[in-house]
Amino acid sequence: MVSFRVVSGALFVLVSCLLLGRASSEGFRGFSLAEFEENDVFILPSASITGDKTVRLCYNIGNCKGVMWYPIPVSVRGFRTSFTFMITNTSQNGTQGMSFVIQNDPNKLYASGPLNMGLGYGSFPAASGGIAQSIAIEFDTFMNPELADPNNNHIGVHTNGLGQNNAHESFTIGQPATSMRQFWDSTPHRITITYDPSQGTIKGLLDGYSDYSLNVQSDELMDLVKLIGVNDTDGTAYIGFTAAGGTTGGEQFFIYDWTYTFLGTINTANSIFFDITPATAGQTHSFFLQSVDQYQNNMTMYSEGLSATLTLTNATTVAATVTYRNMGLYEISYQSTLAGPVTINVSVNGTLIGAAPIASSIVPA
């Protein structure tokens, strides 16, 4: 059943699907809009998600505004996201625009900014209430002189740090991409956005053409905890889209084929083993691995390719079972009927982790 609910007249889309079989950010790896089911959708009037997994943020009314958030915080310390968008029924001068937003606003899933030239995320001279603690990658399709917009077809990165975000160009990080192909022409456009905190960069490639790209670098972007208050424990925040039309109405904003992938990888040098104690022959024994990513944060995702083997002094190999618990914690279990010294190797995709090989022992029963 699809649920409908009105919140202060604003448009709000919440896709509340389960995340790879999980209902929390623990074990998060990424998602695809293709996984979303219609029965898992929570929507408000004037916005919808269709059977072909297309989200329509707002349409056919003056001063429309649409907001869509992924329903749980996700890992944002390094990611790649791609989506196809289409803006239709605009005037010859464009409409207002849309944005992809990362946020840790106190309002969480109900975070929403001003309509019209605020694009649904940002304050502007005549309106306050922008989404706090956020970064917005805006697709601006109307030149508002009062916002110092460079033109009516640009992509820029806006933030006001821990404060309310703002659509004025003085809140842009780096330089907006202004020499873009027109993207409000009622045809689909696909963009891939990559965030690399180690370099402090946000890059966007529109329609696969390097000539139409966003390339922003700032030391501020190297630490989202400090910049916008991303959760320091697990590096998570909410992500989603906002859109806003002009006063006359008619324009429509569509999002489809949205994918998101966390790019964190296990730091093989600094991940930590603990509870490594002698095992007893014939009994199952376990120890643990706390994995951290390349930014020294506890991993919040399961890593493919992690395996463990044990070798006795007589070269007998003992298979081990690796079980993912949560928040980057793995339990490694094994059993051997033989006793004696043992070396333990734990690796991910062939690369040894931590201080492996680890020396331990199996004592007689």
Side-chain angles (χ1 to χ4, degrees), residues 138-140 149-156 169 176-178 180 183:
E138 67 163 28
F139 298 74
D140 198 329
D149 284 338
N151 59 24
N152 65 350
N153 194 77
H154 63 275
I155 301 176
E169 288 303 304
T178 57
M180 310 296 289
F183 50 74

Side-chain angles (χ1 to χ4, degrees), residues 253-273:
F253 298 85
F254 297 93
I255 302 289
Y256 51 100
D257 196 17
W258 179 28
T259 63
Y260 182 91
T261 304
F262 174 56
L263 299 181
T265 57
I266 286 182
N267 185 322
T268 56
N270 294 338
S271 294
I272 300 171
F273 295 101

